[in-house]
Amino acid sequence: MAGTTLLDIKGVQTYYGNIRALNGVDVTVKQGEIVALIGANGAGKSTLMMTIFGAPRARAGTITFAGIDITQLPTHEIARMRIAQSPEGRRIFPRMTVMENLQMGASLDNLQHYDEDVEKVFTLFPRLKERIAQRGGTLSGGEQQMLSIGRALMARPKLLLLDEPSLGLAPLVVKQIFDAIRELNRTQGLTVFLVEQNAFGALKLATRGYVMVNGNVTMSGTGKELLADPDVRAAYLEGGHH
Ligand SMILES: Nc1ncnc2c1ncn2[C@@H]1O[C@H](COP(=O)(O)OP(=O)(O)OP(=O)(O)O)[C@@H](O)[C@H]1O
Ligand SMILES: [Mg+2]
């Protein structure tokens, strides 16, 4: 259902040892949205993504997914609720082939859809089909990112988390990746929460966005509002391609 809250993060604090990386973060993602989280290096964006999966664990606050409190659930149970991620740095299996990487993403519940799901990934990223037997580690950066997203999609997620999908990629490849995310959202209604340093691209893609500074959300709004905001422009968009 459109407009229903899918992911609700409230007052989340996360620590590394005694150092607090998230200072009480509130973020909501509604069904069918693309939500972008932008912020400088070290702001805590990846920490928030990882906290959703319970590693590291939130020390305060709550994380609710589809109405269920997942704050203390074991990571594998969180994944079983159909939250999938493409983590920062992609983390594909370098010695496994493209096909084997995709197999790793499929959950046991989905084996009856396996061929269909692989075909869907190849329709979205035809480059991967051409490289079906190639080892992950020998793919280009852009192809690895496609594989990382493809592997996440094999879990048939209700929520896709993407940590810096555009990092280190040439503008044309970034466009292919962002187009694919838009397409998944538009045609399949997939809900997406993405972290990006490419603030311009992310806010153009997103329904709504949040700005994180030093472990705090300091601003939120529609993608359009944030793109037009003078503070956002000064901090994240000046000198960028816009
Ligand atoms: N495993 C860890 N142990 C200790 N401190 C950590 C660890 N991981 C992250 N931090 C610290 O937590 C803070 C937030 O880091 P995080 O990786 O979440 O930032 P980020 O917004 O994702 O940055 P970037 O844009 O560079 O990826 C930083 O100060 C970082 O040094
Ligand atoms: Mg990060």
Side-chain angles (χ1 to χ4, degrees):
M1 274 186 296
T4 321
T5 298
L6 189 57
L7 178 71
D8 199 7
I9 299 170
K10 277 212 177 84
V12 161
Q13 297 182 14
T14 301
Y15 289 72
Y16 294 108
N18 292 324
I19 313 234
R20 189 159 70 187
L22 299 179
N23 301 318
V25 169
D26 296 330
V27 165
T28 60
V29 179
K30 297 194 196 99
Q31 181 88 50
E33 282 190 312
I34 300 178
V35 173
L37 176 66
I38 63 169
N41 287 120
K45 304 179 302 296
S46 295
T47 300
L48 182 62
M49 285 299 186
M50 295 187 295
T51 302
I52 294 168
F53 269 92
R57 192 68 65 184
R59 217 178 271 182
T62 57
I63 303 172
T64 309
F65 179 71
I68 296 165
D69 186 343
I70 62 168
T71 323
Q72 301 301 332
L73 278 190
T75 295
H76 66 274
E77 286 185 29
I78 296 172
R80 284 193 59 191
M81 302 199 64
R82 297 193 183 279
I83 303 177
Q85 65 167 333
S86 164
E88 189 173 294
R90 289 132 201 174
R91 307 277 180 83
I92 53 147
F93 301 103
R95 304 171 86 86
M96 290 187 180
T97 65
V98 165
M99 196 58 155
E100 287 163 350
N101 268 277
L102 293 178
Q103 281 165 4
M104 295 303 288
S107 74
L108 289 175
D109 319 348
N110 290 335
L111 292 184
Q112 70 272 31
H113 309 290
Y114 180 78
D115 292 338
E116 182 192 331
D117 292 352
V118 168
E119 248 349 280
K120 273 192 199 159
V121 170
F122 288 156
T123 305
L124 190 67
F125 298 122
R127 297 272 289 249
L128 292 181
K129 188 168 191 171
E130 296 160 17
R131 289 165 175 77
I132 213 161
Q134 191 173 327
R135 283 177 195 247
T138 65
L139 296 172
S140 74
E143 290 159 0
Q144 290 192 16
Q145 185 58 58
M146 292 170 193
L147 182 55
S148 179
I149 294 174
R151 187 180 60 186
L153 292 174
M154 290 301 291
R156 297 200 150 201
K158 290 180 184 151
L159 173 65
L160 178 63
L161 305 178
L162 303 171
D163 194 343
E164 309 235 17
S166 79
L167 191 71
L169 305 182
L172 194 66
V173 184
V174 172
K175 185 181 179 306
Q176 285 172 7
I177 300 281
F178 282 4
D179 284 349
I181 296 167
R182 188 180 288 112
E183 183 74 5
L184 284 166
N185 175 260
R186 198 175 56 78
T187 62
Q188 296 174 39
L190 181 64
T191 308
V192 179
F193 182 34
L194 85 156
V195 165
E196 263 298 340
Q197 287 212 30
N198 176 353
F200 182 69
L203 292 176
K204 261 182 59 181
L205 176 67
T207 335
R208 288 188 307 114
Y210 291 85
V211 178
M212 185 176 268
V213 178
N214 289 331
N216 298 292
V217 168
T218 56
M219 236 189 283
S220 66
T222 65
K224 273 205 181 95
E225 284 165 356
L226 291 175
L227 274 174
D229 185 280
D231 293 338
V232 172
R233 296 189 74 86
Y236 304 105
L237 302 172
E238 296 300 318
H241 38 136
H242 55 281

